[in-house]
Amino acid sequence: MLQKLGLMKLGLLLLIFAAAPAARADTINFSFPGSHTGVLGTSQAFTSGSVTITAYGFSSNNHATNLYGKTNGGDETGLGIANAPHFEIQTTNFIQLDLANLYARNPTSLSLQIGSVQAGEGWNIYGSNTLGTRGSALLASGVTDFPNFFTFATVPTGFRYISVQASSEDVLLNGLSATTPNTPTPEPATMLLLGTGLAGVASRMRKRRKLKLS
């Protein structure tokens, strides 16, 4: 009797493990400017899958300014500032990204794609919890150009906002990529198998209790 119950428990455990989904990672990619081209407002939302982030344009004195979606091809395609030379991010303005919705997905990696980085040009990255304020410097004088991504050594989840500003001349914000953990929902067939197995185990146990009582 004990041996049979042990086998039943083992079968039940196997059914549970079969129904448990395998953990995997998702990659969320944002390409700027996407379908938002030309002169944009002082803010613009971008959505990838079920995640929405918002970009804001600011002058260096923290005044809101219009964004610009530039589409000249290659590394000259990206998000810049409307009233700036070449419609790009200068040393006198910056683009700030609100990543609150992305951080809610607990990203394990975060990368930025910066374009239009010519010889002698570069970019700075800042982190802040105040909209319109660049905040703390996270990277000084980065020079990685499109199509390559710059990946943060540690995801800066302590800062809701990440800002991009040129360290010299002008640049564009081309993209953002993040890796997030995800556990998929078990397939209906797997759940049916689990339910059938559990029902079978419960039925057999009830029958054995009735036989024992009689």
Side-chain angles (χ1 to χ4, degrees):
M1 177 67 177
L2 291 175
Q3 184 179 8
K4 289 183 179 179
L5 284 174
L7 290 174
M8 290 171 65
K9 289 180 179 179
L10 177 60
L12 178 60
L13 286 174
L14 290 174
L15 283 170
I16 292 173
F17 282 126
R24 60 184 177 84
D26 282 342
T27 300
I28 301 174
N29 292 312
F30 294 89
S31 295
F32 306 116
S35 60
H36 308 289
T37 60
V39 178
L40 308 174
T42 57
S43 67
Q44 180 63 59
F46 296 88
T47 300
S48 177
S50 60
V51 179
T52 297
I53 64 175
T54 304
Y56 297 86
F58 290 99
S59 61
S60 57
N61 58 2
N62 300 342
H63 289 169
T65 189
N66 287 338
L67 298 165
Y68 188 87
K70 188 173 181 179
T71 54
N72 286 12
D75 72 343
E76 295 297 323
T77 294
L79 199 60
I81 300 295
N83 63 355
H86 313 297
F87 304 115
E88 298 189 0
I89 307 168
Q90 312 283 318
T91 59
T92 55
N93 52 55
F94 61 95
I95 288 179
Q96 193 169 47
L97 299 174
D98 182 352
L99 302 182
N101 292 331
L102 179 61
Y103 286 161
R105 297 286 295 273
N106 300 313
T108 55
S109 71
L110 181 67
S111 304
L112 289 177
Q113 194 177 43
I114 311 296
S116 191
V117 185
Q118 311 301 326
E121 297 181 342
W123 39 270
N124 298 329
I125 305 295
Y126 299 88
S128 172
N129 287 308
T130 304
L131 183 63
T133 301
R134 289 180 313 172
S136 305
L138 301 179
L139 176 77
S141 300
V143 294
T144 303
D145 190 19
F146 176 91
N148 295 316
F149 279 86
F150 161 76
T151 301
F152 290 90
T154 303
V155 180
T157 52
F159 299 106
R160 173 172 176 167
Y161 302 99
I162 298 298
S163 298
V164 179
Q165 184 179 51
S167 59
S168 59
E169 299 298 330
D170 44 38
V171 297
L172 289 168
L173 175 59
N174 298 82
L176 181 147
S177 179
T179 302
T180 63
N182 177 57
T183 303
T185 303
E187 295 180 358
T190 304
M191 293 305 296
L192 178 61
L193 174 64
L194 176 60
T196 303
L198 290 173
V201 170
S203 176
R204 292 189 58 144
M205 292 183 72
R206 282 196 301 271
K207 289 179 180 180
R208 290 186 182 279
R209 281 199 297 269
K210 288 180 179 179
L211 288 174
K212 186 176 181 180
L213 290 173
S214 61

